[in-house]
Structure formats: structure tokens, C-alpha cells
């Protein structure tokens, strides 16, 4: 399907080549737009960095109809068909079997620039405080400052799709969501992404004293792996600090449409339950990090409960999995209305705030929720949810369809309904 009569090709900058960026780039290219996809690492860099983690959505929920049709047309393996349909890949399999092949689609040839970081996005001939909320801002191209190994460059675009995710911006470990005293100085000494406890990072944890902080799905993944390591290597000690005073850290989602997520919740709750009986892992509800100091090769951490009782304890490793958030400097010069709670774009955030339970079971927020005061600037993917960790790839696909329907002023436009390969 190319552009209809009278339509013109837009120059679209897609920031980030993760699942949502790649799918958005492919969708735009299939529509005949001039796509420039800019990725600071390799294709699917964030997904690869959690490559050892098993996804909780089965293949069909991670693949778009257009992506599958294009791979099929190219005579390539389409993951998730046949018996694989019920299986969920690891991040590494998702990247290798789907995202990388997708990035090699002829429609995207020469369109993806890797190892290039978008530093900032502004408007040509306009500042943030001009033409406030006016559609006329859309007449000015976006001006992008991009940095790579050769230096800084400028790019211009009619449309910007910010699909830069949140995995690169972990939240603070300290109580109250602010860095604990000492945390900022320790930088990379603290682990802020899901470690490969049973694989390449095993030596960092085996027979050592580890503090795990957090109660999201990333922390659940780490807790289950650390408990398994502790069972195999009893000299390993793990303290799992969770902020809320909960007997069990996870409240399962009723009739969870994602059985693997339900299993992860259950396994992590069992880890917490078993901790009461002793063993290598101790579960500490209502506990937060008050301060962290380096002490030789070890870290001394002051933990405090919600009644103000504190302990000072030595650890070899501190794993802080307290969530991720949007990198906002990138669009600081644009007119973006952010939610005061989630830091996501306001319109979508307001819709999500109104929802409860599992987002897959909820009606998908309509395209209008993707609009920002800045015309033709869309935040899609995990970043669009801000600090709300409920984002799923499936929701990103609906956002892509919505954004292009808005750009084409054609609510019926839907390349996923009848993907023409
Ligand atoms: C451990 C883990 C497991 C998950 N499991 C599932 C699951 O099973 N099912 C599901 O649906 N969702 C899952 N998610 C949630 C979500 O779908 C994924 O995070 C998904 O990767 C989000 O896709 P994205 O394209 O929005 O962002 P990302 O995958 O984070 O991609 C963003 C890309 O932008 C690049 N980038 C960032 N900043 C810049 C910049 N300034 N300039 C250029 N490039 C930049 C990054 O390098 C990255 O490659 C999981 C998330 C995590 C962390």
C-alpha cells in the first residue's frame, strides 16, 4: 500500500530500534514514507541486554502481522507459527529470530543508523515557548542533534516517533525514590538491570552476600534466579528488600491472560514464602535503602523499615531493580505535557490512570491519546507509559497503527488488518 492520491511522503525520524521503533519504521516504510531510524547501540540493544530473560508473552504477541508477512515474503523463518505459538522466547531469541531479521527488510535498507545517539530534538526556527499549542508548529521541521563516533550531526524531519524506551533510565534505589546517600558516587558498582544470575554473571553472586531491592517483574526474575543459585550454592546469602509491608510481594492478576507472567508471580511469591523457613534468601518487606557506602571491595548498606528501625549490613553486590523511567532531556525543547505521576505523556497517562487490572484485558487507548501539544511528535512504546511498567509490545503495535492513522488523517488505515507483504 503506498501513499494515496495527493498524499506526500513524510521524512520520519524514528528514535530507537527496539521492538516498537523497528515496527514503526517498517510500517512507515511500507506506507512509502522516508524513514530514518536512529539507534544508540545495536539493533534491539535494550532487548539484547536482557537477552537471558524469558519473556512472558508468547511469540504471537511479540510479532506484528506486517512483520510476519514481510519475513514470510522474504522466505525467512516466521517465529511463533505452528507449535511455537504457545512458546515465549528469551530476549535473545526475540532479537535474533525476529527483530534483527526485521531490521534487514529491504524496505529498511540504509534506513537504520546504529551506534548513533539522539541527544536532543528541537524545531527549526522555533523555540519551546513559541506558538504555544498551535498547529502551526507542525509547519516547522524537527531539528535533531545526533552524536556518533565521528562527532555531532544535525538531522531534520517532518515527524518524530520517540521509541527510546525506559530500560536505559533506571530509577533510584534509595528510599522515597531519590538516590540514597552514597548511591550517586557508586555509579556502575551498583547493578541496575536484570543480571544473568545463573549464566554469565554467576560468579558475581555465587557464595556471596547479595542485596536485591525492588518488587516489579524484573525483581521477581532476579529473586527466583538468586533463590535457585542459593539452593545450589548454600554459601550464597540473599536479602530481598521490598518497600511495602506485604506478606507476599506479588498480587497475581485475576485470570492473567499471560500464563508465564502468572507463573513468575507465583514463583517469586514462593521464594518469599520459603524465606520464612530460613535458607539462603531472606525476604524483608517494608524495608528500604537508607544509605550505601563503599567499604573496601564490599558495600555497607543501611536498611530501614517503615517503623524507622534500621540495620547496617555488608554486601558484596547490590541489585537495585526499582523500575525504569523516560529519558526526558531528549524532548525538553518541545511542547510535551507530562503526567505529574508517571512522567508519561499526559493524555495517555490519564487514560491509563483510569484503568485497573491487566492492560491486555483493557480497551486499548485510542490514537487521540498519543497526541502531544507538539504536532507530529509521538512518544511510542515503553517510553509512552513513563514509569508505569505495564507496557507490552502488543500495545505498542496498536500505538503504531494509531499514530500513522493520525498522520494520514485516515482512521481506517491499518496495515496490520490486511498486511500487504
Ligand atoms: C526484562 C524485561 C522483560 C520484558 N518482557 C516483556 C514481555 O514478555 N512481553 C512484552 O510485551 N513486554 C515485555 N517487556 C516490556 C517491553 O515490551 C519491552 O521493554 C520492550 O523492549 C519495549 O520496546 P521499546 O521498543 O518501546 O523499547 P526498548 O526495547 O527499550 O528500545 C528502545 C531502544 O532505543 C534505544 N535508545 C534509547 N535512547 C536512545 C537515544 N537517545 N538515541 C537513540 N537510540 C536510543 C535503545 O538503545 C533501545 O534499543 C519486558 C521488559 C523487560 C525490561
Amino acid at each position: 500500500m503506498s501513499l494515496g492520491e495527493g498524499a506526500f511522503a513524510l521524512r520520519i525520524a524514528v528514535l530507537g530500534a527496539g521492538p516498537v521503533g523497528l515496527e514503526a519504521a517498517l510500517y512507515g516504510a511500507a506506507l512509502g514514507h522516508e524513514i530514518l531510524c536512529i539507534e544508540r547501540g545495536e539493533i534491539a540493544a535494550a532487548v539484547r541486554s536482557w537477552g537471558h530473560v524469558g519473556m512472558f508473552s508468547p511469540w504471537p504477541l511479540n510479532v506484528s502481522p506486517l512483520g510476519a508477512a514481510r519475513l514470510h515474503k522474504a522466505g525467512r523463518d516466521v517465529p511463533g507459527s505452528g507449535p511455537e505459538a504457545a512458546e515465549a522466547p528469551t530476549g535473545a531469541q526475540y532479537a535474533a529470530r525476529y527483530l534483527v531479521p526485521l531490521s534487514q527488510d529491504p524496505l529498511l535498507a540504509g534506513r537504520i543508523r546504529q551506534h548513533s545517539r539522539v541527544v536532543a530534538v528541537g524545531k527549526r526556527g522555533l523555540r519551546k515557548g513559541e506558538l504555544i499549542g498551535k498547529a502551526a508548529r507542525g509547519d516547522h521541521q524537527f531539528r535533531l542533534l545526533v552524536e556518533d563516533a565521528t562527532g555531532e550531526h544535525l538531522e531534520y524531519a517532518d515527524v518524530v516517533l520517540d521509541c527510546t524506551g525506559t530500560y536505559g533510565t533506571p530509577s533510584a534505589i534509595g528510599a522515597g525514590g531519590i538516590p540514597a546517600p552514597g548511591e550517586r558516587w557508586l555509579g556502575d558498582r551498583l547493578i541496575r538491570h536484570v543480571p544473568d544470575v545463573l549464566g554469565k554473571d554467576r560468579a558475581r553472586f555465587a557464595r556471596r552476600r547479595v542485596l536485591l531491592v525492588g518488587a516489579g517483574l524484573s525483581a521477581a526474575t532476579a529473586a527466583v534466579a538468586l533463590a535457585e543459585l542459593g539452593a545450589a550454592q548454600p554459601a550464597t546469602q540473599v536479602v530481598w528488600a521490598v518497600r511495602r509491608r506485604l506478606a507476599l510481594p506479588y498480587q497475581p492478576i485475576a485470570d492473567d491472560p499471560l500464563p508465564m507472567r502468572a507463573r513468575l508471580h507465583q514463583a517469586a511469591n514462593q521464594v518469599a514464602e520459603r524465606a520464612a523457613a530460613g535458607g539462603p534468601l531472606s525476604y524483608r518487606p517494608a524495608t528500604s535503602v537508607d544509605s550505601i557506602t563503599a567499604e573496601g571491595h564490599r558495600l555497607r548498606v543501611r536498611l530501614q523499615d517503615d517503623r524507622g528501625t534500621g540495620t547496617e549490613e555488608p554486601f558484596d553486590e547490590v541489585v537495585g531493580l526499582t523500575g525504569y523511567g523516560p529519558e526526558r532531556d531528549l524532548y525538553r525543547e518541545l511542547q510535551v505535557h507530562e503526567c505529574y505521576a508517571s512522567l508519561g505523556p499526559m493524555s495517555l497517562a490519564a487514560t491509563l490512570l483510569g484503568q485497573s487490572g491487566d492492560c491486555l484485558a483493557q480497551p486499548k487507548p485510542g490514537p487521540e491519546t498519543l497526541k502531544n501539544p507538539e504536532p507530529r511528535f509521538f512518544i511510542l512504546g515503553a517510553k509512552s507509559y513513563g514509569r508505569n511498567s505495564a507496557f507490552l509490545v502488543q500495545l505498542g503495535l496498536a500505538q503504531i497503527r494509531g499514530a500513522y492513522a493520525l498522520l494520514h488523517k485516515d482512521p481506517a488505515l491499518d496495515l496490520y488488518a490486511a498486511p500487504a507483504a
Side-chain angles (χ1 to χ4, degrees):
M1 172 185 221
S2 60
L3 295 173
E5 197 53 44
F8 56 93
L10 294 163
R11 182 166 166 79
I12 302 181
V14 178
L15 316 187
V20 177
L22 284 170
E23 297 276 11
L26 182 71
Y27 200 108
L31 284 169
H33 294 296
E34 189 193 337
I35 297 294
L36 173 63
C37 181
I38 307 170
E39 164 58 52
R40 79 171 157 201
E42 289 179 60
I43 298 291
V47 172
R48 290 178 204 238
S49 67
W50 50 266
H52 55 284
V53 177
M55 295 184 79
F56 44 76
S57 49
W59 272 114
L61 289 184
N62 310 324
V63 168
S64 77
L66 177 63
R70 296 289 307 175
L71 290 180
H72 181 71
K73 179 175 178 193
R76 302 187 77 155
D77 157 45
V78 180
S81 33
E84 259 190 343
E87 291 169 21
T90 63
Q93 290 163 339
Y94 182 37
R97 290 192 55 205
Y98 181 67
L99 298 173
V100 171
L102 205 64
S103 73
Q104 294 161 347
D105 187 292
L107 283 173
L108 293 175
R111 296 277 155 214
I112 305 179
R113 202 174 293 165
Q114 300 181 64
H115 305 293
S116 300
R117 185 172 76 88
V118 180
V119 178
V121 183
K123 297 292 298 197
R124 190 179 241 177
L126 268 187
R127 301 295 300 259
K128 186 179 179 83
E130 293 164 357
L131 296 179
I132 297 176
K134 297 273 184 306
R137 285 182 66 88
D139 303 337
H140 296 252
Q141 278 203 313
F142 290 95
R143 178 182 163 94
L144 295 87
L145 177 63
V146 180
E147 177 184 56
D148 62 24
T150 65
E152 292 183 322
H153 313 275
L154 286 171
E155 290 291 344
Y156 292 91
D158 305 313
V159 175
V160 169
L161 307 180
D162 181 353
C163 309
T164 52
T166 58
Y167 202 58
T169 324
S171 303
I173 298 175
I178 62 171
E183 180 179 339
R184 292 184 306 144
W185 314 133
L186 289 162
D188 294 344
R189 180 72 183 80
L190 307 174
I191 299 169
R192 299 170 176 280
H193 292 97
V194 189
D196 186 358
V197 171
L198 300 170
K200 71 175 173 32
D201 303 321
R202 193 183 183 100
R204 250 186 119 163
F205 301 104
R207 296 184 301 283
R208 306 189 83 206
R209 194 157 196 272
V210 182
L211 172 63
L212 170 64
V213 186
L217 288 169
S218 293
T221 304
V224 171
L226 285 165
E228 193 178 326
L229 180 66
Q233 308 256 5
T236 310
Q237 289 178 20
V238 183
V239 171
W240 182 11
V242 166
R243 186 167 53 85
R244 293 206 176 92
R245 184 168 285 280
L246 295 168
L248 294 177
Y250 299 95
Q251 283 63 54
I253 295 170
D255 309 320
D256 192 334
L258 298 173
M260 288 135 199
R261 181 174 56 191
R263 274 205 289 278
L264 178 58
H265 280 151
Q266 194 186 12
N269 277 342
Q270 280 166 357
V271 164
E273 233 163 8
R274 276 201 299 272
L281 184 142
S282 78
Y283 171 62
R284 308 257 190 100
T287 301
S288 299
V289 172
D290 201 42
S291 68
I292 314 177
T293 39
E295 207 174 61
H297 297 301
R298 306 193 91 187
L299 297 163
R300 179 160 286 280
V301 180
R302 181 174 160 72
L303 293 169
Q304 191 166 31
D305 73 13
D306 57 2
R307 297 183 180 131
T309 311
T311 57
E312 290 246 347
E313 301 176 41
F315 292 97
D316 298 296
E317 297 294 351
V318 171
V319 184
L321 300 175
T322 51
Y324 312 98
E327 200 273 296
R328 300 148 68 214
D329 278 351
L330 200 137
Y331 55 69
R332 183 174 294 284
E333 193 51 29
L334 300 179
Q335 296 183 359
V336 175
H337 184 190
E338 292 172 324
C339 172
Y340 46 82
S342 71
L343 300 178
M346 191 64 198
S347 175
L348 177 58
T351 310
L352 296 173
L353 284 173
Q355 293 183 345
S356 61
D358 176 64
C359 48
L360 262 186
Q362 307 291 330
K364 295 190 176 62
E368 292 302 316
T369 63
L370 300 171
K371 282 187 176 171
N372 285 296
E374 190 66 64
R376 293 181 161 187
F377 178 72
F378 298 97
I379 301 176
L380 307 179
K383 191 171 186 174
S384 70
Y385 273 46
R387 289 186 177 181
N388 175 336
S389 60
F391 176 81
L392 295 170
V393 172
Q394 248 325 280
L395 301 160
L397 300 181
Q399 292 181 336
I400 293 165
R401 184 176 45 218
Y404 281 103
L406 287 172
L407 285 170
H408 282 243
K409 299 186 176 56
D410 176 4
L413 177 68
D414 184 356
L415 294 193
Y416 292 156

